[in-house]
């Protein structure tokens, strides 16, 4: 699955930390494609067991962290866990089948 990340239109370059929980019932290779995300900013990708994140060539991967995590099975429990762990969830999306996911990050 290719995860496309770019800032909302009102933000020229996104310069804030991000945390993603990438959960799947089956192990996946998450291919990351980014546009206009500032280098050197901490970005964390938690993936379900057996999954990996592949970064594009460049220095984005130097400031990104990937960690395998056991997530709650049901979406409601995953959302509750994320809120408890991080205090807030700004976006939650579920896909049954997808090859490309487009996410706009911003304020």
């Amino acid at each position: 699955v290719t995860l496309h990340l770019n800032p909302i239109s009102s933000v020229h370059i996104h310069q804030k930390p991000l945390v993603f929980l990438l959960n799947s019932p089956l192990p996946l290779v998450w291919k990351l494609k980014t546009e206009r995300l500032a280098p050197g900013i901490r970005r964390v990708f938690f993936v379900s067991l057996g999954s990996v994140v592949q970064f594009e060539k460049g220095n984005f991967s130097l400031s990104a962290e990937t960690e395998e995590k056991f997530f709650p099975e049901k979406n409601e429990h995953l959302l509750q866990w994320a809120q408890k762990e991080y205090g807030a969830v700004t976006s939650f999306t579920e896909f049954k089948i997808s090859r490309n996911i487009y996410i706009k990050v911003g304020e």
Side-chain angles (χ1 to χ4, degrees):
V1 174
T2 303
L3 183 62
H4 301 265
L5 302 177
N6 56 17
I8 59 176
S9 60
S10 62
V11 175
H12 182 63
I13 295 179
H14 189 269
Q15 300 188 38
K16 293 188 176 183
L18 296 168
V19 175
F20 289 91
L21 308 179
L22 304 174
N23 188 28
S24 172
L26 299 173
L28 285 179
V29 174
W30 296 91
K31 296 178 183 177
L32 200 63
K33 295 203 178 278
T34 63
E35 290 181 34
R36 300 183 358 249
L37 299 185
I41 305 294
R42 185 172 184 245
R43 296 180 179 100
V44 182
F45 297 87
F46 292 108
V47 296
S48 48
L49 300 177
S51 293
V52 295
V53 177
Q54 290 180 347
F55 298 97
E56 292 178 293
K57 291 180 181 172
N59 61 2
F60 183 82
S61 62
L62 297 177
S63 58
E65 302 169 34
T66 303
E67 183 181 326
E68 282 186 66
K69 200 131 187 110
F70 178 79
F71 291 122
E73 199 169 307
K74 295 187 183 275
N75 284 337
E76 302 82 30
H77 298 138
L78 177 60
L79 184 56
Q80 290 170 354
W81 175 84
Q83 289 171 326
K84 181 180 174 188
E85 193 78 14
Y86 296 100
V89 173
T90 57
S91 178
F92 185 93
T93 306
E94 175 187 11
F95 296 95
K96 296 290 183 195
I97 298 174
S98 183
R99 290 192 176 152
N100 289 284
I101 300 172
Y102 296 85
I103 297 179
K104 299 265 188 195
V105 296
E107 303 298 319

